[in-house]
Amino acid sequence: MMVESATETIRTTPSSQNGVSSLSSQPDSGGREGGSSVEANGEVSPVDLLHLQQQQALQAARQFLLQQATGLNSPSSNENKQAAVQVPVSVAMMTPQMITPQQMQQILSPPQLQALLQQQQALMLQQLQEYYKKQQEQLHLQLLTQQQQQAGKQAKEQQLGNKQLAFQQQLIQMQQLQQQHLLNLQRQGLVSLQPSQGAMPMQTLQQAMCPSDLQQLWKDVANAQNVDENMKHEGLDLTTNSSNSTSYSASKVSPQITHHSLPNGQSSLHTPKRESSSHEEHTASHPLYGHGECKWPGCEALCEDMGQFIKHLNSEHALDDRSTAQCRVQMQVVQQLEIQLAKESERLQAMMTHLHMRPTEPKPFNQPLNLASSASLLKREGDTFPEGLPHPPTSATAPITPLRQGPSVISSSSLHSVGGPIRRRNSDKFCTPIASELAQNHEFYKNADVRPPFTYASLIRHAILEAPDRQLTLNEIYNWFTRMFAYFRRNTATWKNAVRHNLSLHKCFVRVENVKGAVWTVDEVEYQKRRPPKMTGSPTLVKNMISGLGYGSLNASYQAALAESSLPLLNSPTLVNASTGGSMNMLHIGHDDVSSTVEQIHSNGSSSPGLSPQQYGHQVHVKEEPAEMEEDKRSVSLMPAVSQTLVMPGDDRVMEEELPGEELE
DNA sequence: ATGTAAATAAACAACC
DNA sequence: GGGTTGTTTATTTACA
């Protein structure tokens, strides 16, 4: 599977070959790489399409940052004002073009990301409109030229006639495409912004998108490729996609659905983007209707009243699978951003932890805007959206049969090849407490086919520590994975193997012979040993945040929270490990995970968090992990970090509430 | 450039 | 014999 060929269409990053792993794990995705480039018949591969979308999103992101920095609103979308999001000074100081993907994702706070998301959509709409118009003009021009030529050269009348016909068809197609595309984008905007009315099932997004794509997206920012270039393929993409999107049963989605009766308070979110597509005045009650004419791109049909307009919409702008495909693509973009937001909030947590802020503190702070949660919210409430779109599994156990795994245009392979799976160490890198992350987004991970940003080891450990007696059989661990993460409901062979591999490989996992078999426990000491706490977390970023933007950019409440939160951290239950010096427990920085939490939480009476193998008597294998004796020293040096470690009270409760929940299936 | 950690794949053995 | 469990080795990738 060392497919270098995959790179041919994946122009962005070297990591794109990453797709290999995912490819191998998803057989159906094979062969996708082949025809990804623009084909002669005008078709464009999913990869291109996705890439385009990403570029658009990124472009929008840059523009967003630019606006934030300069205070200027883009001429096109004055709704951006409404996005009124406070951007840290440090961000504002930066020239958007200079912002690397990493920085972008690290700098933006959840609210900012959300605003960014909205603006991205608005801008995308605008860009598409402009683009379509240009395309139309071009086509007209070409057509006229051809006609002139035709007039001049009667001899080739026939031939030219054909050409003309082709152009006309192309023109028509273009119009259709733009109409449908924009409709979908509009709808998509409604969906994402109006959970109560048009929320779409997150599942669809997740199915079509993998977390890794998000990273790719951000990476693309750095590349700063020309959007217009990609735009050229746009129209063609649409046609290509149309054939495959049938699974969504787009037919069900009638244009009327787009009417926005914004019944709820979410209005603030949705208003901006929609208006951007049409003109700023939101005279009509329909985003596609204004000034007595249909605002559908390239249409401008006159409609005296709303009813007529609706009729017009239904007749002239009916939805087909093509537009649905586009909608899907846009959903993916949105989802990518949402995932990104989730990651951002996660990083924020880590940063807060690093800055001696209680992990629970930031919760109320960013929770409302936490996209991950909003995403899940959407998902849950989103049954109203296009019925054709697959609904999220009602039960956690419901197998996800993502379209991506099917032969759909946007195949998993292509998607994965773009970014590849997020392989690892996110948690380590950002010192993200699993517990806190899961606490906030457990619903998200439960239903979204998103790879959790934790290592297998940390997840396994979490699972085990979460168990009442801190021991689980292999099968129970499996069940925990599938129960907690939608992502682990597929490719079972792969991740189960990984789980077993981790259990065997890492010393921290101790197999204990039980009466009825064997169970796995966690040797907390070993676990902490094997991960020397190093506050990495993107050093540059951290520096940026601390020095560059510093606390000054944090709002007052935040600072206050930071200040006071640093105090009460040391009052955690004693985490004395029976087997080894109890101090070890105190030392770990909760680097990636749950550790800090679970121990305290699940120590329902029964004390010692890190179960020493001896406790379980029976036969215990002593694994020989690459010995790292120096770890102890390092951990000592980490002493100052203790305050950080002890703190995840908030997480616990979430995890606990999660526990009683549905049992394994 | 190099080493390390993690993910992934796969071979293999023991056991039920 | 097939599936599960567990161990081990190898490869690839990301990251420091």
Side-chain angles (χ1 to χ4, degrees), chain A residues 128-237:
Chain A
L128 282 173
Q129 275 188 320
E130 291 173 359
Y131 167 73
Y132 280 131
K133 279 183 181 172
K134 283 180 184 175
Q135 289 294 314
Q136 262 189 298
E137 289 172 2
Q138 277 187 346
L139 284 174
H140 275 297
L141 213 59
Q142 283 179 303
L143 192 57
L144 287 175
T145 305
Q146 288 292 336
Q147 285 174 335
Q148 288 173 352
Q149 291 175 348
Q150 189 179 17
K153 303 174 183 178
Q154 299 268 336
K156 297 182 179 179
E157 185 177 19
Q158 184 83 15
Q159 192 174 355
L160 289 175
N162 290 339
K163 273 193 176 182
Q164 185 179 1
L165 187 62
F167 272 122
Q168 284 174 333
Q169 288 174 342
Q170 202 174 350
L171 181 60
I172 292 171
Q173 191 179 36
M174 178 69 69
Q175 285 176 334
Q176 285 179 339
L177 290 176
Q178 76 180 74
Q179 290 167 357
Q180 287 158 359
H181 189 187
L182 288 172
L183 171 62
N184 281 309
L185 290 180
Q186 293 277 8
R187 175 175 296 111
Q188 201 279 329
L190 285 175
V191 166
S192 63
L193 296 176
Q194 301 179 38
S196 64
Q197 179 192 352
M200 76 183 81
M202 275 299 292
Q203 207 56 51
T204 59
L205 294 177
Q206 281 117 22
Q207 287 166 358
M209 182 64 61
C210 72
S212 57
D213 298 330
L214 188 58
Q215 285 196 340
Q216 185 61 41
L217 181 149
W218 289 107
K219 284 179 182 173
D220 287 347
V221 177
N223 296 341
Q225 296 187 359
N226 188 353
V227 172
D228 292 335
E229 191 172 350
N230 292 295
M231 288 297 246
K232 291 173 185 172
H233 310 307
E234 177 71 3
L236 301 175
D237 285 348

Side-chain angles (χ1 to χ4, degrees), chain A residues 421-658:
Chain A
I422 296 178
R423 282 182 69 102
R424 67 274 263 27
R425 289 209 278 200
N426 291 358
S427 55
D428 295 30
K429 208 165 57 169
F430 299 99
C431 310
T432 311
I434 272 189
S436 119
E437 164 71 8
L438 282 183
Q440 288 190 14
N441 301 320
H442 70 273
E443 275 300 327
F444 176 78
Y445 289 120
K446 212 182 211 170
N447 299 299
D449 188 15
V450 174
R451 185 192 186 93
F454 309 108
T455 63
Y456 280 112
S458 57
L459 286 173
I460 294 169
R461 174 174 167 274
H462 192 178
I464 294 174
L465 294 181
E466 204 181 86
D469 43 1
R470 293 193 192 83
Q471 61 180 35
L472 288 177
T473 66
L474 179 63
N475 197 44
E476 286 169 337
I477 295 173
Y478 289 161
N479 289 332
W480 185 87
F481 271 71
T482 53
R483 186 172 72 246
M484 298 294 283
F485 304 97
Y487 179 86
F488 292 118
R489 284 169 209 151
R490 57 189 181 90
N491 294 333
T492 56
T494 298
W495 65 260
K496 283 183 177 178
N497 184 26
V499 167
R500 290 195 305 274
H501 168 76
N502 274 264
L503 284 172
S504 289
L505 185 66
H506 298 306
K507 247 203 279 188
C508 59
F509 299 120
V510 180
R511 182 177 179 271
V512 178
E513 294 270 336
N514 209 349
V515 188
K516 41 182 178 177
V519 294
W520 289 93
T521 63
V522 176
D523 185 343
E524 198 57 32
V525 175
E526 285 299 329
Y527 183 82
Q528 299 309 328
K529 272 195 198 173
R530 56 177 279 278
R531 34 188 65 255
K534 35 191 169 183
M535 185 53 189
T536 56
S538 176
T540 56
L541 173 68
V542 173
K543 277 180 199 164
N544 256 354
M545 297 300 277
I546 295 179
S547 64
L549 97 115
Y551 290 80
S553 63
L554 299 175
N555 64 39
S557 62
Y558 223 98
Q559 295 186 47
L562 280 171
E564 68 177 343
S565 63
S566 58
L567 295 179
L569 300 180
L570 294 175
N571 61 343
S572 74
T574 60
L575 306 174
V576 179
N577 184 293
S579 59
T580 347
S583 59
M584 281 304 297
N585 285 311
M586 306 293 287
L587 296 179
H588 83 270
I589 306 214
H591 237 75
D592 56 357
D593 12 81
V594 206
S595 54
S596 46
T597 6
V598 180
E599 301 154 21
Q600 307 169 12
I601 310 159
H602 295 287
S603 61
N604 357 334
S606 68
S607 69
S608 66
L611 293 174
S612 68
Q614 289 79 0
Q615 279 180 275
Y616 295 89
H618 308 305
Q619 65 181 121
V620 177
H621 297 221
V622 178
K623 296 171 195 165
E624 299 171 14
E625 229 167 353
E628 309 166 87
M629 301 316 294
E630 71 284 7
E631 302 300 358
D632 294 27
K633 300 182 211 159
R634 280 202 256 181
S635 58
V636 172
S637 65
L638 298 172
M639 286 297 284
V642 167
S643 58
Q644 300 174 352
T645 82
L646 310 178
V647 226
M648 328 221 83
D651 316 329
D652 320 353
R653 82 179 179 289
V654 180
M655 295 311 298
E656 278 182 333
E657 71 185 54
E658 179 90 4

